[in-house]
């Protein structure tokens, strides 16, 4: 069975290289998308330092619906354009929010969250959902995180056969 070792490096580029290598090992031979996404959320939560929530919202029934995650229970449905996740899904652009209190319409699922990053998951032209990571520290995420997590999503897209229900 796969065991994820704690990644020691302080170099964020190298950190994401190793994280994404672990991800591929976990999902490349698993045909079940849900099993792979559950392990992906666990991997993020286990290995990224200084975070309090990591997981997925999936685009179903014209809205974002909560998917596999780690952290406190969260709101289950988010309309496109609402909050940070809904904004990322609607604009299809990465959102890096240094201070959630300054983001209009931020949805506070865990009062401890101070900053967050949301990466849209797009396959071809199709919106699949978003990856959302929250931190109890302000300005926890930067462009290096955005690059590393974009690679993470690329790996998911490469190895996961998304079901038809995401639309
Ligand atoms: N903060 C998000 C809502 C999801 S929770 O943080 C898990 C938002 O405003 O989109």
């Amino acid at each position: 069975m796969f065991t994820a070792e704690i990644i020691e490096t302080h170099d964020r580029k190298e950190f994401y290289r190793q994280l994404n290598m672990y991800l591929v090992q976990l999902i490349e031979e698993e045909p079940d998308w849900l099993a792979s996404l559950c392990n992906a959320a666990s991997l993020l939560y286990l290995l990224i330092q200084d975070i309090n929530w990591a997981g997925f919202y999936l685009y179903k029934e014209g809205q974002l619906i909560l998917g596999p995650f780690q952290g406190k229970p969260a709101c289950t449905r988010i309309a496109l354009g609402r909050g940070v996740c809904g904004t990322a899904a609607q604009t299809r652009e990465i959102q890096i929010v240094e201070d959630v209190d300054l983001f209009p319409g931020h949805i506070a699922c865990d009062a401890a969250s101070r900053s967050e990053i949301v990466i849209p998951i797009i396959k071809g032209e199709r919106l699949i959902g978003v990856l959302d990571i929250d931190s109890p520290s302000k300005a926890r995420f930067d462009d290096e995180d955005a690059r590393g997590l974009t690679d993470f999503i690329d790996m998911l897209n490469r190895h996961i056969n998304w079901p038809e229900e995401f639309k």
Side-chain angles (χ1 to χ4, degrees), residues 113-155:
S113 297
R114 294 271 68 86
S115 65
E116 83 178 84
I117 186 167
V118 180
I119 318 278
I121 306 172
I122 312 284
K123 184 146 190 181
E125 290 298 303
R126 188 172 157 214
L127 175 67
I128 303 294
V130 300
L131 166 64
D132 179 13
I133 305 180
D134 297 351
S135 169
S137 302
K138 277 190 187 167
R140 162 66 184 77
F141 306 101
D142 62 16
D143 288 346
E144 203 61 68
D145 295 291
R147 272 190 287 278
L149 292 168
T150 298
D151 289 346
F152 190 91
I153 297 299
D154 286 347
M155 293 302 149

Side-chain angles (χ1 to χ4, degrees), residues 52-57 64 66 69-70 72-76 78-79 82-88 97 100 103-110 113 115-116 118 130 132-134:
N52 59 327
W53 202 92
F56 299 92
Y57 280 90
L64 293 173
L66 185 62
F69 73 96
Q70 301 269 310
K72 288 189 179 171
C75 55
T76 53
I78 299 176
R82 277 205 61 224
V84 186
C85 291
T87 301
V97 179
V100 294
F103 190 95
H106 168 253
I107 303 161
C109 292
D110 182 343
S113 297
S115 65
E116 83 178 84
V118 180
V130 300
D132 179 13
I133 305 180
D134 297 351

Side-chain angles (χ1 to χ4, degrees), residues 55-67:
F56 299 92
Y57 280 90
L58 300 167
Y59 184 57
K60 295 192 267 190
E61 304 165 22
Q63 60 191 322
L64 293 173
I65 303 186
L66 185 62

